[in-house]
Structure formats: structure tokens, C-alpha cells
Amino acid sequence: MKRSQLRCGTAALLLAAALPLPLAATAVAAPAPPAAAAVSVAPAVSATATRLTLPAPTGPYAVGRDTLHLTDPQRRDPWVPAAGARELMVSLYYPAHRGTGGARAPYMTTEEARLLLEGDKLTGVVAPEVLAGTRTHARTGARPIDGRHPLVVLSPGFTLNRATLSLLAEELTSRGYVVALLDHAYESFGTTFPGGRTLTCVACRAVESAPESTARKLMAKVATGRAADIRFVLDTLTGRGAGASTEAGHGQGTPARRYAGLVDPRRIGVAGHSIGGNSAASAMAADRRIRAGVNMDGTFFAPVPPGGLDGRPFLMLGSLDGHAPTAEDTTWLRDWRRLDGWKRWLTVRDAGHFTFIDIPVLGAQLGVTDPTAPLPGKRSGEITRDYVGAFFDRHLRGRPEPVLDGPTADNPEVLFQRP
């Protein structure tokens, strides 16, 4: 593999999906297309030129959101040990009563947007204020729906801020889920923490500077480290993490344990994009509390155990070019054979690595087209929403979901692989 293909940048926010895939995208990253194939863009989008908006969630509930800063005193940070305890930022979504709450929750901070655009070499193409100002549907301070709800934990792709999974988080919440959307310290281009700190991607630099074989091991370290993060979040949100130090981020002053009463500890799922999807499988392997998991287009750098996941259901949802059974990423075929419960391997025609997150949906609003992944942005969001939502509705709520049983006329892009 070429060194340029081991770059830690995602190469893609909004306007650059045609650049080389990140290491976490595929076991053997696709070569970069010629420069002429890259997306063509208009002059830089100013802070006032457009207003990006997430699609409205389809479920019956309004969406509330809090922001939590969690620290795990039992673990030191794996990338910067001198920093002390492992830290996480969590966007905590919950079903809420309509008409309650205050302002719409922010998409990300301007500094997070600036670093993400800079990391993807898009400085001057899209103004950070445009990305940071993306309109969400979640509201701060909204009144929660009483009762215990299934919990889904989401982990983003390597280098990506947690905000890039906001569409899925809001959709699941509107259907009645509590959703914990994580940022893992030092694994994104930029994540803002309390106290005016914005941490950058130390893990990226470690991967970028390592030989290929070592880089793969480091990516496995990312996956297993995130699995430990997910387990810590589960302890915290189910009331078992009494010894953990928790506080709300951005001055909201709400302890994480407040939400324990909203979570049904018997109905927990986990999903992620890219290395976050690998982390979902690793978390399931380590924690039987997790009943169902989804990998969205992520290489299994940390393998599924040879004995499987104790019969628990798992969904593999990826691009056709990157994750068909004959694709260069052989980890999907290997780990498909190890999965020992209900399972589906779905690939999407005309999709790219970023199809399953917010990027193509927001890019479409800027008039961006990507010849290497021509699936329209609107369809990208619908497919992710419908299939991931159906998976959790089936396995955490016991609802029949025929869309998971085989191809449908309404979703001709989605192929069921049966190797």
C-alpha cells in the first residue's frame, strides 16, 4: 500500500469525497482518482451564502439533546498518557415532548469545523461557519418522555467529529431511542472539550508515521480502545459507573447519571461508521449487555472473535465497490463467516465510504456531485436511516421489519450479499 493511502485524513468533508479513502475505510485503500475526476466546486461558500440543514427526523417524538463530558478514572489516555484519565465528549439524545426545550442544539463548534475542513484540505472552500451552523432538529432543555427507552451508542469514523452522525442520531431518537453519540479524545481532527480546549488528532499522526503493518495494528488499537470507551459509557448511563467522574460540557451542569432512568439496560445496541463500525463489533465481543450491532463501511482491523458474538445479531452495511464479497477488503468475508447469529451483509450501489453519514446529505445542499459515488445525497440519508433504524427496531424493539428480509422495489440500490 502506498504511503499516500495511509494518510490519516478522511479526505472528504462535503466536497472532497473523490480523494483517497482513509485508512479506516478499507483494508486496501482505493487509489486516488485522477485530478480531473475530483469534484468541481464553486468559489468558497461564505458564512452567509447558504444554510445547511439536517433532514427532519421521521419518528413521532421530538428530539432533546444534552452535551456530556465524561472521564474514566480507571484508564489513562492511550495516545497522550500524560493527559491523565481517558476523556470523552458525548452528545446525549433523548425522546422529548414536542413544544418543549430551548434553542436548537449546535451542530459543532466553529473551531471543530475549521479543523475538520483544514484536515481535509478544504480551507477556503467552505467557510467553517457554514458547517458549524448546520441546522439541527434537537433542542436543548427539552422535557424527556417518561419511561425506559432502548439505548444506542454511536461511534464516528477516524478523524471525524461525532457531529457527522447527527442525522442518524436524530432519526433514532425520534423513534424512541436514547442515543449516545461519542467523540473519543485525540482521534478526530478537532473536538472541543470544556475549559476552552480543542483536542486534535494525535492518533492520526501516530498512524501516518508508522510502517503499514504497524499502522494496521494501531487501527486495531483504535477499535479496541473505543470498545472500552463504549463500555464505560454504558456503565455511566445505566447507573453502574458511580466511581466515574462525569460532568456536563459547555456549562450545562447536568450529570450523566441523570439519564440512567431513561435507559432500558436490557435493550442496548451499538453502531459506527468506518473504524467506529469495527469498534461496535469489538464492544459486542467484550460486553454481553450489547444485544445488537452495526458496522457501516468499516474494515475489521480488530477481528470478530473466531467463536462469533454469542448468537447476537449484527448488520454489515457498506458500499458495493468497497465491501462486496469480492472487494479487496477481505476482513468482511472473514468476519461474516464468524458471525453466529442473525446477520445481514448489505451493499449499496453507487455509494462511497461517506454515504452512511451526514457528508453527502449536506454536500448535496451545496450542489456538490461526486463522480466516484453518484448516489444522491438525499438517498444516502434515507438508506442509512431506513436500514439502520429497521435493524434496531427489529432487534431491540421486536418489531417485524420486512425491509431486512430481502431486496425491495423501493430500494433498488441495496443488495443482499449471501457469500
Side-chain angles (χ1 to χ4, degrees):
M1 185 185 298
K2 297 178 181 178
R3 168 52 53 188
S4 63
Q5 295 171 356
L6 287 173
R7 59 190 294 277
C8 60
T10 64
L13 184 73
L14 301 177
L15 304 176
L19 294 178
L21 292 179
L23 177 65
T26 178
V28 180
V39 289
S40 59
V41 299
V45 178
S46 74
T48 59
T50 190
R51 181 65 179 269
L52 301 175
T53 304
L54 293 177
T58 66
Y61 301 110
V63 179
R65 201 190 86 184
D66 200 352
T67 304
L68 308 176
H69 170 222
L70 305 182
T71 58
D72 183 355
Q74 304 302 316
R75 293 185 298 142
R76 298 185 73 83
D77 188 88
W79 308 109
V80 185
R86 177 65 162 171
E87 292 183 274
L88 302 169
M89 291 302 297
V90 181
S91 293
L92 199 287
Y93 295 80
Y94 55 89
H97 291 276
R98 295 196 178 277
T100 67
R104 292 179 187 268
Y107 188 66
M108 61 171 60
T109 68
T110 302
E111 180 65 3
E112 288 171 334
R114 184 189 70 78
L115 289 167
L116 185 52
L117 293 167
E118 179 183 90
D120 284 328
K121 297 179 171 54
L122 292 170
T123 301
V125 177
V126 180
E129 294 83 0
V130 170
L131 178 59
T134 297
R135 184 179 181 182
T136 68
H137 299 276
R139 292 190 179 273
T140 60
R143 183 161 59 90
I145 299 292
D146 292 337
R148 291 185 178 270
H149 310 279
L151 168 67
V152 174
V153 182
L154 299 178
S155 180
F158 194 49
T159 78
L160 290 173
N161 187 279
R162 69 188 186 279
T164 57
L165 285 171
S166 295
L167 183 159
L168 179 58
E170 290 194 346
E171 173 64 25
L172 290 173
T173 304
S174 77
R175 296 185 182 204
Y177 294 84
V178 172
V179 177
L181 175 51
L182 312 186
D183 251 332
H184 311 264
Y186 302 109
E187 294 177 16
S188 72
F189 283 133
T191 297
T192 300
F193 282 75
R197 298 174 298 140
T198 299
L199 304 185
T200 57
C201 198
V202 175
C204 298
R205 296 190 284 275
V207 171
E208 176 69 18
S209 62
E212 180 182 339
S213 59
T214 303
R216 293 179 182 277
K217 293 178 182 177
L218 288 173
M219 293 305 295
K221 175 182 174 181
V222 173
T224 55
R226 289 190 180 196
D229 292 341
I230 290 167
R231 299 183 71 192
F232 166 66
V233 170
L234 295 185
D235 286 345
T236 302
L237 294 180
T238 58
R240 292 176 53 179
S245 172
T246 67
E247 60 183 89
H250 307 303
Q252 294 182 33
T254 305
R257 60 181 174 272
R258 163 190 172 181
Y259 295 103
L262 294 179
V263 172
D264 183 348
R266 300 165 301 174
R267 295 186 292 167
I268 294 174
V270 63
H273 169 246
S274 196
I275 197 63
N278 187 184
S279 304
S282 294
M284 286 186 70
D287 197 323
R288 288 190 57 83
R289 289 177 297 177
I290 302 171
R291 288 183 50 187
V294 181
N295 178 355
M296 296 182 289
D297 215 58
T299 293
F300 291 97
F301 288 101
V304 170
L309 297 175
D310 301 311
R312 288 167 289 168
F314 199 85
L315 171 65
M316 294 159 50
L317 176 63
S319 62
L320 178 61
D321 288 346
H323 286 113
T326 56
E328 291 182 287
D329 183 354
T330 59
T331 68
W332 274 41
L333 184 59
R334 177 198 66 202
D335 288 7
W336 169 259
R337 291 168 174 164
R338 294 179 176 184
L339 295 172
D340 57 341
W342 185 103
K343 59 184 179 180
R344 294 292 185 271
W345 180 345
L346 308 183
T347 54
V348 182
R349 287 194 185 97
D350 295 333
H353 185 53
F354 302 96
T355 287
F356 310 99
I357 58 177
D358 297 359
I359 285 171
V361 176
L362 299 180
Q365 295 174 33
L366 297 173
V368 173
T369 59
D370 172 18
T372 70
L375 185 70
K378 183 174 183 290
R379 282 298 291 150
S380 297
E382 290 169 348
I383 288 170
T384 303
R385 173 196 74 196
D386 292 349
Y387 281 89
V388 176
F391 173 80
F392 285 124
D393 280 350
R394 180 168 185 164
H395 295 291
L396 296 184
R397 306 178 82 102
R399 297 178 177 173
E401 294 292 342
V403 73
L404 297 172
D405 295 334
T408 65
D410 291 338
N411 298 284
E413 310 95 335
V414 179
L415 306 177
F416 283 65
Q417 302 293 345
R418 296 181 172 90

